Amino acid sequence: MTHVQLSSLDVSTSLRSIAEQFDFVGEVLDVQRYGSGNVNDTFLVTLASDPREKAILQKVNQQVFRHPELIILNMRAFMEHIGTTNGRCADTQGRRWETPDIISTKAGADYWRDPEGGFWRMTTFVKDAQTYDTIRDQRHAGEIGYALGRFHSLISDLPVESLYDTLEGFHITPRYLAHYDVVVANGYHKSSPDIEYGRDFVAQRRAWASVLEDAVRRGELMLRPIHGDPKVNNILIDDVTGQAVSVIDLDTVKPGLVHYDIGDCLRSCCNPLGEETEAFDAVRFETDLCQAILEGYLTEARHFMTGKDYDYIYDAVRLIAFELGLRFFTDYLEGNVYFRTKDAEHNLRRALVQFRLTESIEAQAAAIRAIVAAQRIS
Ligand code: GN1
Ligand code: MG
């Protein structure tokens, strides 16, 4: 893995000198690791002259994002587009809504490459707002739904061809299954009841795992611009009003299905214990939160949703929870090569959470479908 180790003074000095490559006015006071991302290295940069002035510095994981410059091109296309359409949605007037902007380097480029080829970029910091790693309440859920709907609405008329594919195969569940099969065939030298449970869990669901891709093939669902990762801690909430003000982490803004986003948002936000819990047996998908999110989402997204789009919402929620569990499980069996981990079993624990969540979704299929049906006609 290419993650930055922060153990020595040398590293913090070099992080500061990396931050100073960017056109961020003034001397850098401090650079601290920030957030809870599983793939890139993220740092909060603070200025000496005014500690309230901050920026986000990131080293993009090039094991995952093989062409990180495409992320920047997509961010530019995205921002140019919403710059011209901002405020377009009638019922969002008067609300605060911000998008982190790219801060160029002093040489005028959108990113900086370190001598080892590391890819660094800087974006503006959205002030007086924060993210939460787990959902707080119904209102928070409604705001998250609204934010995803607003995000989709803003880009719904951005031609999908104008975005690069920054991560090929992302959220295409059959591709993750194919990779899982290779990892299993290569052998994994581990054994435990949890592994057996995971193996059975995947085996029982694999025939259904192409449900969204089959719908695309039949022409029922279409590619649109998506966020790719609208989990609970990628939506910024205003400290004062409690309203959502931004959807951050634009690395996976690319062509996809809005169902990947709806599924990811619901699997993340309707699990109040969060992705990192170890209370596996208490993991539950909360349908009240699901209702609040869909309601918030549709206030903004209703205008582009088709009948078929509604038909696949339940499958999307079930699928993306299953898919993330499969991704964590595969990474565990493969020796933890993709997601950042705290220890060797971390990815197995994360997989168990997502598998339990999938079971809870399946057990409440009728209730979730009823929520979608009610929202569809309201
Ligand atoms: C990864 O790196 P981060 O935390 O933004 C992953 C998502 C997962 C998420 C689970 C590019 O996102 O797909 O849903 O972890 N991103 C990538 O927390 O694989
Ligand atoms: Mg992400």
Side-chain angles (χ1 to χ4, degrees):
M1 297 244 40
T2 54
H3 294 311
V4 174
Q5 300 297 316
L6 268 180
S7 48
S8 74
L9 263 180
D10 281 359
V11 174
S12 69
T13 312
S14 75
L15 276 171
R16 193 173 306 186
S17 66
I18 290 165
E20 283 169 351
Q21 298 297 320
F22 291 85
D23 198 6
F24 180 64
V25 201
E27 194 192 328
V28 171
L29 174 69
D30 191 27
V31 184
Q32 290 290 330
R33 191 175 273 284
Y34 191 68
S36 39
N38 294 327
V39 171
N40 294 330
D41 292 292
T42 302
F43 305 93
L44 182 66
V45 180
T46 308
L47 268 197
S49 56
D50 182 355
R52 284 169 308 171
E53 288 303 320
K54 297 179 194 304
I56 297 292
L57 175 69
Q58 284 184 302
K59 185 181 191 197
V60 176
N61 181 336
Q62 294 182 82
Q63 301 289 112
V64 171
F65 295 103
R66 300 277 172 178
H67 303 285
E69 57 291 342
L70 299 183
I71 297 176
I72 305 280
L73 292 172
N74 279 0
M75 281 176 79
R76 285 275 178 223
F78 167 77
M79 280 182 311
E80 200 172 300
H81 183 75
I82 62 166
T84 58
T85 58
N86 228 344
R88 185 175 47 92
C89 317
D91 56 345
T92 63
Q93 280 169 3
R95 284 185 61 135
R96 179 182 173 207
W97 187 263
E98 294 177 30
T99 303
D101 206 353
I102 295 170
I103 299 177
S104 303
T105 65
K106 287 174 178 156
D110 281 346
Y111 56 87
W112 185 73
R113 281 212 184 259
D114 67 32
E116 283 86 49
F119 187 100
W120 297 83
R121 53 120 188 263
M122 192 180 268
T123 50
T124 55
F125 181 74
V126 177
K127 284 185 190 148
D128 306 318
Q130 57 187 300
T131 60
Y132 299 86
D133 282 336
T134 51
I135 198 87
R136 290 184 300 167
D137 50 29
Q138 295 258 123
R139 170 150 192 250
H140 187 197
E143 285 299 316
I144 286 185
Y146 165 85
L148 182 61
R150 172 106 207 250
F151 187 93
H152 280 171
S153 180
L154 286 170
I155 53 174
S156 62
D157 54 354
L158 172 65
V160 82
E161 309 76 43
S162 56
L163 292 174
Y164 292 97
D165 191 350
T166 53
L167 195 52
E168 218 203 310
F170 192 52
H171 288 314
I172 299 184
T173 314
R175 298 267 296 250
Y176 293 108
L177 268 177
H179 179 58
Y180 165 79
D181 289 342
V182 171
V183 169
V184 169
N186 287 344
Y188 46 80
H189 313 297
K190 293 171 186 162
S191 99
S192 71
D194 286 339
I195 294 179
E196 287 313 304
Y197 163 78
R199 292 289 310 272
D200 289 346
F201 195 90
V202 174
Q204 284 157 15
R205 288 159 185 82
R206 58 181 308 141
W208 149 85
S210 60
V211 58
L212 294 183
E213 303 315 312
D214 291 343
V216 173
R217 221 166 293 126
R218 286 193 297 268
E220 295 174 349
L221 300 179
M222 62 178 144
L223 291 183
R224 296 184 174 112
I226 63 158
H227 180 275
D229 193 15
K231 56 182 177 175
V232 59
N233 54 11
N234 275 338
I235 285 112
L236 275 172
I237 302 293
D238 185 287
D239 288 335
V240 177
T241 64
Q243 290 185 329
V245 292
S246 187
V247 185
I248 55 171
D249 182 2
L250 305 179
D251 299 339
T252 46
V253 170
K254 67 186 207 75
L257 299 179
V258 291
H259 294 76
Y260 303 154
D261 279 355
I262 297 169
D264 195 61
C265 188
L266 290 169
R267 67 108 202 123
S268 165
C269 300
C270 302
N271 163 18
L273 295 179
E275 277 175 36
E276 299 291 333
T277 184
E278 295 184 19
F280 308 119
D281 292 336
V283 171
R284 212 183 117 81
F285 182 88
E286 292 296 344
T287 50
D288 289 355
L289 296 170
C290 173
Q291 171 155 357
I293 291 168
L294 282 178
E295 221 174 280
Y297 179 74
L298 290 170
T299 59
E300 288 293 303
R302 195 176 292 285
H303 70 92
F304 65 76
M305 293 283 287
T306 67
K308 283 290 175 200
D309 284 335
Y310 288 99
D311 289 347
Y312 286 97
I313 289 181
Y314 168 72
D315 279 308
V317 187
R318 181 184 173 207
L319 187 70
I320 301 298
F322 168 75
E323 179 192 276
L324 185 58
L326 172 69
R327 293 171 65 198
F328 285 141
F329 188 51
T330 306
D331 202 31
Y332 170 71
L333 297 177
E334 202 177 0
N336 307 314
V337 296
Y338 186 99
F339 295 103
R340 187 199 317 280
T341 48
K342 288 191 219 145
D343 57 72
E345 304 295 301
H346 193 175
N347 273 323
L348 179 60
R349 295 194 299 273
R350 287 165 163 163
L352 294 178
V353 172
Q354 295 304 316
F355 289 160
R356 293 287 187 208
L357 187 65
T358 308
E359 287 171 337
S360 177
I361 293 166
E362 291 166 350
Q364 299 179 88
I368 299 169
R369 286 189 193 278
I371 290 170
V372 174
Q375 291 293 331
R376 185 175 181 161
I377 53 167
S378 68

